[in-house]
């Protein structure tokens, strides 16, 4: 899984039928300090993540291992909202403390 | 999924039999402002996307989760045409407003 | 799928038994003008591609969706020989016109 | 699989239900000398790895081939703790000898 | 599949149970001339490859399509030992002629 920040949303009316009802969130990867860096990706959201939140997302076939994404042409899913992470014993990100 | 722009088409007469009837679109990834940047990829189209349109495409086994691509040697599929996206509350791309 | 040029072949006598009979082609990715650029990869060939030809190849589990590669430890397959492609309405590559 | 060092942990209370009970470890890839370099990734731990340890992790659908990760939206798993590795006959890393 | 050179081995006593008995080889990708360049990866060996040999390895779910790696958290496998390869009609690597 990768750490990313929810930076926006994508609207797509015309889409593969099975994707109806899924929310597309725009994510940008973050570095170990929580700063945006690296690429952006669009992921389906199954945990109710909102803009500005730090999340974990899974890609590939693993992105289909949820009830909402099963058997759908979806290759990225937000599967967790991050509370905090630490590196070498130091808290590097804590939700609400940015 | 990744944001990309349909920039062209690929014609291939000689191909794996199961790929007959699939349209190959040439896509180029775009940055958050919708400008072409990054790599290009060839994706099967199952939503009727046309040149110049912004789309979402899925890769890997997820690209086979549509009726048209099921069990085929296809690793990228356009599964949505993008209407708009926003970043940090600002519309960055809106179809027809380019 | 990615656009690539067949630049050579790989011979491997000692291999996983199920790979017997598959031809290994050496491919190099090309840019939108058809010039070699980017990485090289070894793909099984199921369409009779030859040296110098432009092809499309699929990777990952999608590479196993052909009779010849099914259930084999093969992660890249040439599944089409390219006749031509166009970008923004202009033919950028046409077989035989190089 | 890739060589990486366990550099921290990630806490996520709100997550896809099936991910309950899995520990998320923060890994950073290492070079052949064992120095941190390259990207970071979050992996589930099924072997009891701790901070500072060198590990091997598997990604993609292979990350789901353990009892703890089966059918879960998990795309990276620590599946081994490294004792040592050698390059061209020389020990480059040995646990406890750093 | 990718061309790589076996540059070493990795020892891991503590590992996911199903990985018992698999040998972990340290590989480094090579360029078209056979020189080490690019990234390193750890692959299971099912063809008896030894240090210094040029090999082909497959990744992802394809790495599990061998008797020894089936249903295991293994995402890279050496599935062939390379005898030689040629680029544009010229032998670029020949086993034993380095």
């Amino acid at each position: 899984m990768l750490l990313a920040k929810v930076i926006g949303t994508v609207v797509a009316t015309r889409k593969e039928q099975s994707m109806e009802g899924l929310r597309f969130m725009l994510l940008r990867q973050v570095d170990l300090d929580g700063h945006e860096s690296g690429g952006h990706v669009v992921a389906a959201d199954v945990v109710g993540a909102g803009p500005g939140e730090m999340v974990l997302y899974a890609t590939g076939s693993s992105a289909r291992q949820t009830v909402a994404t099963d058997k759908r042409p979806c290759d990225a899913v937000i599967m967790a909202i991050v509370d905090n992470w630490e590196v070498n014993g130091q808290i590097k990100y804590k939700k609400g403390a940015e």
Side-chain angles (χ1 to χ4, degrees), chain A residues 77-95:
Chain A
V77 72
I78 300 174
M79 26 60 74
I81 298 174
V82 174
D83 293 314
N84 63 71
W85 72 73
E86 56 158 60
V87 176
N88 297 328
Q90 280 197 301
I91 296 285
K92 286 290 186 172
Y93 167 80
K94 191 172 161 59
K95 195 176 173 172

Side-chain angles (χ1 to χ4, degrees), chain A residues 23-83:
Chain A
R23 287 201 309 156
F24 296 131
M25 310 304 277
L26 195 46
L27 309 183
R28 190 151 176 230
Q29 290 166 27
V30 295
D31 62 22
L32 291 172
D33 291 313
H35 300 131
E36 292 175 38
S37 76
H40 54 93
V41 66
V42 177
D45 174 32
V46 299
V47 291
E53 284 189 303
M54 289 291 182
V55 298
L56 283 175
Y57 72 98
T59 59
S61 59
S62 297
R64 301 197 308 272
Q65 310 297 311
T66 77
V67 173
T69 57
D70 187 33
K71 299 198 175 72
R72 286 164 175 78
C74 171
D75 65 4
V77 72
I78 300 174
M79 26 60 74
I81 298 174
V82 174
D83 293 314

